[in-house]
Amino acid sequence: MRKIVLLFVLSLSTSIFAQKKDKTLITIDGEKITVSEFKRVYEKNLDAIDNDEAKSVTKNLELFINYKLKVKEAYSIKLDTLPSYKREMETYKNQLSAPYLQDTTFIDKLVEDAYFRTKNEVKAKHILVRMPREATPKDTLTAYNKIFKLRERILNGEKFETVAAQFSEDKSAQDDKKSGRKGNGGNLGYFSAFRMVFPFEEAAYSTKKGEISMPFKTQFGYHIMQVDDFKLSKGEIEAAHILIKDGSAKGQKIIDSIYLKLKNNEKFEDLAKKYSDDTGSKARGGKLGKFGEGRMVKPFSDAAFSLENENDFSKPFKTRFGWHIVKLLKKHPVKSFDEMKKDLKAKIKKSSRMQLSEKAVVNSLKTKYTIVEFEKAKKILDNKQLRSISKDSLQSTIISINDKKISQEEFIKYIRNRRHLAVYKLFDMFKEDQILTYYKENLIHTEPEYAYTLKEYEDGLLLFELMQEKIWNKSSKDSIGLKKYFDNNSIKYKTNTLKAKKGQVINDYQTFLEKNWIADLRKKSKIKVSKKQLKKLIKFYGKE
């Protein structure tokens, strides 16, 4: 019942925004309500109304007036000041404003790039110079100079893998003398979209085959990269395997005996359950699920993707984990763009690259707004104890955006629990956050559809609270009033027992209470309807 009423309320909601030449249809206690406000609500409801009588302009106008009176009452008793209401509205504002914080053109480009990078794999190697988490400008310059010199050495003839093995701070590039593991010299093999952090992926697909990239930065530090190859992706496959962890000749003897059983038509799944040392997959008959090239160690990936037909299985082969036999279960080639578009967009919205869309919006806003940084107030950034500065000393304006002034105190609140980044980086983040906040606060002035929808929800939520207080709670808790209503209408219910028809009686009692309440609201309000504008509406819609 309550949900139905709230939906009805939302559909009846109106807007405070009217065209300049809009005529006044109703005046309630001096407040003017325009023709366009009513038309917006009426037309919105037309599709949901299934009979001509309910489409009556006059009847809908009466419902509209009742609604306006209820909303007016909700504001008069300050239901809009309730903490629960404020929290709900703040959550809704964030949800409603989210699409306006996205650059749709930019997102479309990200989707197209993601598809290309899903369909085409890149093979690359890299060298990494790490930076401290809270890197100072000096740390950044030191790391950049170091990686730049390594790039110069490779351009002057040194082998990329040799420099990577000696100087890269990615440990996988170096030999591990303790375990005997040989380093990869920075080789990452083939990869595609969403496999690496976005700046790394972007650099890989932007560097030409055979070239050494300029230094670029990720969350790990500075990198240089050499691209070795591009190729069409084989998509993904589903596979199963049998693993014998013993990598010695003894283990080879066991895997060879299993291979012979497979050749003699024994079931792969049964053999996996019986012999495989992979505890994670053996219970499922060795099934590994879906994966793409490069997701597994290279010998495994090569063996799996070399299988041509479903249910083919490989000869025994060895990886650092031991001896394997792999079986191809199913191939999943890359789908068409139209088939993948929706999933790629959803994946992008969940990934870090979505921040780039927001960044594009911020950059656009920076060109439209007058933004001033107050250098004198910014000197607090040099104070190592800035989070402990007293509130009274933080009232100077640190940034202004158009006519809005933002104090030092707001900045300190923003960074108080953010200690993982350098303070100057936090200031840049704070400034961008404030630009977006200003933009969201002004959406009601710049985006009419946003303003309409927000007002609808705002009034609808208020009316829900009001109905709960005035009607629903009262009807369920006022046992004396309910009994009296039943006694006065017992003939209608054809029973002398309230319990037998309690649900129906409560609903009818709510209608009774609301009717009387509306009558009281109308008595204490001065309502004037423009007969001229009402006649025009009736003529326009052809529904009296």
Side-chain angles (χ1 to χ4, degrees), residues 42 46 49-57 59-60 63:
Y42 178 72
L46 278 179
I49 298 171
D50 57 4
N51 64 79
D52 285 342
E53 186 181 351
K55 292 181 180 181
S56 162
V57 172
K59 286 185 178 179
N60 275 275
L63 288 172

Side-chain angles (χ1 to χ4, degrees), residues 175-414:
D175 294 342
D176 188 336
K177 293 178 182 178
K178 286 185 180 180
S179 66
R181 178 186 61 79
K182 188 170 178 61
N184 62 21
N187 283 294
L188 300 169
Y190 285 96
F191 57 90
S192 57
F194 303 104
R195 290 290 315 284
M196 303 292 182
V197 292
F198 183 70
F200 196 95
E201 177 192 307
E202 187 79 352
Y205 282 93
S206 302
T207 302
K208 292 180 181 178
K209 182 178 174 179
E211 289 189 355
I212 311 293
S213 73
M214 286 297 290
F216 63 93
K217 191 178 177 185
T218 71
Q219 66 202 58
F220 304 105
Y222 271 106
H223 309 252
I224 53 171
M225 173 191 294
Q226 182 172 359
V227 170
D228 295 329
D229 192 24
F230 290 96
K231 71 171 185 178
L232 282 172
S233 171
K234 293 180 180 179
E236 294 181 308
I237 61 171
E238 290 179 50
H241 82 136
I242 297 169
L243 168 67
I244 303 300
K245 286 185 177 179
D246 188 340
S248 68
K250 183 181 176 182
Q252 185 177 9
K253 188 175 180 180
I254 297 169
I255 202 77
D256 285 343
S257 69
I258 295 169
Y259 181 67
L260 188 60
K261 291 176 187 291
L262 286 168
K263 296 286 283 184
N264 289 327
N265 296 320
E266 291 194 39
K267 284 188 175 181
F268 191 99
E269 293 77 8
D270 294 342
L271 293 171
K273 288 176 182 178
K274 185 174 181 179
Y275 294 107
S276 182
D277 292 331
D278 181 358
T279 55
S281 69
K282 69 180 295 178
R284 301 190 303 273
K287 289 181 181 178
L288 296 168
K290 196 188 294 185
F291 59 90
E293 273 191 293
R295 290 285 297 277
M296 305 294 189
V297 290
K298 190 174 186 300
F300 191 98
S301 185
D302 289 346
F305 278 88
S306 68
L307 298 171
E308 290 291 329
N309 304 306
E310 291 180 6
N311 297 316
D312 285 353
F313 53 85
S314 70
K315 291 180 179 180
F317 62 94
K318 190 178 180 182
T319 73
R320 67 173 184 262
F321 301 105
W323 291 96
H324 307 256
I325 300 172
V326 63
K327 177 184 177 182
L328 176 63
L329 301 178
K330 192 172 183 180
K331 289 186 175 183
H332 295 274
V334 178
K335 296 177 182 177
S336 70
F337 178 72
D338 287 339
E339 290 174 304
M340 291 192 72
K341 185 177 179 180
K342 185 178 178 181
D343 287 341
L344 286 172
K345 185 172 282 191
K347 207 168 183 179
I348 282 168
K349 287 185 176 181
K350 291 178 182 177
S351 73
S352 61
R353 66 191 72 195
M354 196 59 194
Q355 295 170 4
L356 296 172
S357 172
E358 192 172 284
K359 184 81 173 175
V361 173
V362 171
N363 289 338
S364 173
L365 293 174
K366 283 179 178 178
T367 64
K368 297 174 183 176
Y369 294 161
T370 301
I371 302 165
V372 179
E373 296 178 24
F374 293 84
E375 296 303 322
K376 187 176 179 180
K378 275 179 66 179
K379 286 183 179 179
I380 62 167
L381 273 63
D382 298 323
N383 188 330
K384 291 184 179 180
Q385 303 299 321
L386 81 166
R387 290 178 177 85
S388 302
I389 299 173
S390 68
K391 181 179 176 179
D392 292 342
S393 303
L394 294 170
Q395 300 311 308
S396 297
T397 300
I398 197 167
I399 304 172
S400 67
I401 304 170
N402 291 349
D403 56 347
K404 182 181 179 181
K405 294 180 179 180
I406 301 133
S407 69
Q408 296 163 313
E409 184 183 358
E410 289 300 308
F411 172 62
I412 300 302
K413 283 180 185 175
Y414 178 83

Side-chain angles (χ1 to χ4, degrees), residues 2 25 30 41 62 98 110 164 180 207 238 418 460 506 525 539:
R2 297 183 185 190
L25 176 62
V41 172
E62 289 303 304
L110 287 177
T207 302
E238 290 179 50
R418 292 178 168 92
I506 288 175
S525 296
K539 184 178 180 182

